[in-house]
Amino acid sequence: MEELNSLMTGFGHVLSFQNIGLMFIGILLGIVVGVLPGLGGPNGVAILLPLTFSMHPTSAIILLSCIYWGALFGGAITSVLFNIPGEAWSVATTFDGYPLAQQGKAGQALTSAFTGSCIGALFGVVIITFLAPLVAKFALRFGPPEFFAVYFLTFCSFIGMGKEPKAKIIISMCVGFLLAAVGMDTVSGQLRMTYDFPELLRGFDFLVAVIGLFGISEILLTMEEGLAFKGKKAKIDLKVVLKTWAMLPRYWMTLLRSSVIGCWLGITPGGATAASFMGYGMAKRFSRDPDSFGKGNMEGVLAPETAAHAAGTSALLPMLALGIPGSATAAVLLGGLMIWGLQPGPMLFVEQKEFVWGLIASMYLGNIAGLLVVLSTVPLFAAILRIPFSIIAPSIMVVCAIGAYTVHNAQFDIWLMVVFGVIGYIFKKLNYPLAPLVLALVLGDRAEDAFRQTMVGSKGALGIFWSNGLVGTIMTLGMIALLWPLISGLSNILRQRFLNKSHANA
């Protein structure tokens, strides 16, 4: 009941003409970001973050989060009409979305994708509404050992449960730790790895790094591929929408299953991409007609879109409650909160209650508004893809440069952005994940501070990390997450041997 009262208060703060206007602006910008393959959710939020520095934090986070919702919606447009995923999480949508468009059912496919996305997002917001305050209250018991244990669990989860090769995840994360260490040591006050460059005294700003790693690198890759847009036309009217909505109740189990999968992978470091593929795979496994998948099955559109949106939304839960981002976009928003003078974590629910519940209330309104906007503007945004990419790419790069310069009003940051863009390009060409690098860059110094404070308090005794049930449990979970591939592989071997032995005895 307390959560519902706080939520109603949040709606009272959000329902102003300015915030509603920013909500629609953010959604429209986000759809553009999602439609253009050279951008994507994290990139759009990172590029436009400097523009919010003079805004009230509540208005700023509403704008940026709505950009993210819009990007999630927009990725489905290119997947269905052009067979080009606007983002990695939209890849699974192409499997059945584009065949449906080829059959003349683009309107139904898009309506299903947008509606499933909205349902998944609302499911994630409900989870945040009721779980985030409980997690935050629990986290108030945390001291330096517990906070380091949570960081440790986060890093280990990325390594142990990530889909990419473990060595590449570790290398990417180590690069992030190395970049986070540049600048002034917050404990001793000494300079580290500045090499007589005064500009490096403040370290590498995460925002400049993110703009380069995501925005510039994607543009370079897209330009290299010589992307050309040729797609199907789509017309969505009220008749198509109502007809499609009348069909959706028969897929209620798919929607529920995909929402749960998405929320789980959003709260853990799985992410929207893993959620979309898992949602698609589970829908195919439990379908009465699995052979139709890949040929134009409506479940093949509903499942990945629902799971991706649920994951993208629920990833904000650990960011708000613990100060630990569950996705690359959440990491960017985490940095934004810190720039605005807010400290994400359990105290945020105590010291900035108005802000937190205003953000949660905006999630409900933003996703519903996003559904209405995207259903009515599909032809308009699909037409954007007919603009030559040779015009779009330079425009995006100029916006990136402006965003990087705005952070500190320093030309040096533009050069850093270019360097990070080249690094991101190399990482993507070699299939190295960028999310662990961004995570380590954002949380690396905070994890180091928590570890060193713990070591000072315990006089160097590592046993403090198992000194009580709370910190010991978190550290043990971190070790299990880190070693999970070995544990899983060993269990599979033992199971196979047991089955072989049973067959032999039979």
Side-chain angles (χ1 to χ4, degrees), residues 126-148:
V126 171
I127 296 295
I128 292 176
T129 302
F130 292 99
L131 281 189
L134 298 177
V135 174
K137 289 178 182 178
F138 179 72
L140 287 173
R141 300 167 52 190
F142 285 18
E146 287 79 11
F147 273 112
F148 175 76

Side-chain angles (χ1 to χ4, degrees), residues 201-250:
L201 292 177
R202 59 176 175 261
F204 292 109
D205 191 283
F206 92 98
L207 184 56
V208 177
V210 166
I211 292 174
L213 289 171
F214 289 98
I216 301 299
S217 64
E218 280 292 335
I219 292 297
L220 294 176
L221 281 173
T222 308
M223 291 172 66
E224 179 187 25
E225 294 168 359
L227 190 61
F229 302 126
K230 295 179 180 179
K232 303 296 180 181
K233 293 183 179 181
K235 180 182 179 182
I236 297 182
D237 54 29
L238 184 60
K239 183 178 179 180
V240 172
V241 172
L242 294 177
K243 182 180 178 182
T244 305
W245 283 354
M247 296 168 48
L248 292 184
R250 73 179 67 168

Side-chain angles (χ1 to χ4, degrees), residues 252-262 279 282-283 286 299:
W252 68 272
M253 182 55 73
T254 300
L255 293 170
L256 178 60
R257 185 193 309 118
S258 299
S259 297
V260 173
I261 291 171
M282 295 296 285
F286 289 99
E299 282 187 276

Side-chain angles (χ1 to χ4, degrees), residues 56-79:
H56 187 278
T58 302
S59 300
I61 198 72
I62 288 173
L63 174 65
L64 294 176
S65 61
C66 285
I67 291 174
Y68 186 34
W69 314 144
L72 284 165
F73 279 117
I77 297 176
T78 53
S79 298

Side-chain angles (χ1 to χ4, degrees), residues 22-307:
L22 290 173
M23 194 179 296
F24 280 97
I25 292 172
I27 290 166
L28 291 170
L29 289 174
I31 296 172
V32 174
V33 164
V35 164
L36 294 176
L39 286 175
N43 312 330
V45 174
I47 292 169
L48 297 174
L49 180 57
L51 304 180
T52 65
F53 290 167
S54 60
M55 297 171 60
H56 187 278
T58 302
S59 300
I61 198 72
I62 288 173
L63 174 65
L64 294 176
S65 61
C66 285
I67 291 174
Y68 186 34
W69 314 144
L72 284 165
F73 279 117
I77 297 176
T78 53
S79 298
V80 172
L81 298 184
F82 294 85
N83 203 27
I84 300 171
E87 258 294 352
W89 59 67
S90 299
V91 173
T93 309
T94 64
F95 299 160
D96 285 275
Y98 190 66
L100 283 170
Q102 290 178 312
Q103 298 168 18
K105 300 179 181 178
Q108 295 182 30
L110 288 171
T111 302
S112 299
F114 299 149
T115 308
S117 297
C118 185
I119 292 173
L122 292 178
F123 191 92
V125 180
V126 171
I127 296 295
I128 292 176
T129 302
F130 292 99
L131 281 189
L134 298 177
V135 174
K137 289 178 182 178
F138 179 72
L140 287 173
R141 300 167 52 190
F142 285 18
E146 287 79 11
F147 273 112
F148 175 76
V150 172
Y151 297 139
F152 179 76
L153 173 61
T154 303
F155 297 138
C156 289
S157 298
F158 259 86
I159 296 171
M161 298 182 181
K163 301 301 180 185
E164 299 85 358
K166 309 308 175 189
K168 292 186 175 182
I169 296 177
I170 294 173
I171 291 172
S172 178
M173 194 170 286
C174 287
V175 172
F177 286 134
L178 184 67
L179 295 174
V182 174
M184 183 176 291
D185 181 359
T186 55
V187 176
S188 67
Q190 295 179 344
L191 297 178
R192 301 185 298 192
M193 294 183 287
T194 57
Y195 304 108
D196 294 328
F197 282 95
E199 294 87 354
L200 294 180
L201 292 177
R202 59 176 175 261
F204 292 109
D205 191 283
F206 92 98
L207 184 56
V208 177
V210 166
I211 292 174
L213 289 171
F214 289 98
I216 301 299
S217 64
E218 280 292 335
I219 292 297
L220 294 176
L221 281 173
T222 308
M223 291 172 66
E224 179 187 25
E225 294 168 359
L227 190 61
F229 302 126
K230 295 179 180 179
K232 303 296 180 181
K233 293 183 179 181
K235 180 182 179 182
I236 297 182
D237 54 29
L238 184 60
K239 183 178 179 180
V240 172
V241 172
L242 294 177
K243 182 180 178 182
T244 305
W245 283 354
M247 296 168 48
L248 292 184
R250 73 179 67 168
Y251 303 122
W252 68 272
M253 182 55 73
T254 300
L255 293 170
L256 178 60
R257 185 193 309 118
S258 299
S259 297
V260 173
I261 291 171
C263 287
W264 171 251
L265 290 177
I267 295 172
T268 60
T273 303
S276 66
F277 280 101
M278 185 175 291
Y280 184 88
M282 295 296 285
K284 184 177 181 179
R285 178 178 300 178
F286 289 99
S287 175
R288 297 178 181 177
D289 185 18
D291 294 335
S292 65
F293 277 70
K295 302 175 184 178
N297 190 311
M298 200 66 72
E299 282 187 276
V301 176
L302 277 173
E305 286 296 315
T306 303

Side-chain angles (χ1 to χ4, degrees), residues 339-413:
I339 291 173
W340 301 324
L342 302 176
Q343 184 62 45
M347 292 304 296
L348 193 66
F349 283 79
V350 178
E351 299 173 348
Q352 300 290 337
K353 194 173 182 180
E354 174 185 329
F355 167 81
V356 172
W357 288 106
L359 170 60
I360 294 175
S362 74
M363 293 180 187
Y364 287 97
L365 297 175
N367 279 285
I368 294 173
L371 175 62
L372 299 177
V373 170
V374 78
L375 282 174
S376 58
T377 56
V378 165
L380 173 64
F381 287 107
I384 294 176
L385 291 173
R386 290 175 171 81
I387 301 174
F389 201 78
S390 57
I391 296 176
I392 294 176
S395 303
I396 296 174
M397 296 189 77
V398 169
V399 173
C400 290
I402 294 173
Y405 179 82
T406 307
V407 177
H408 297 294
N409 293 327
Q411 187 176 356
F412 181 76
D413 287 340

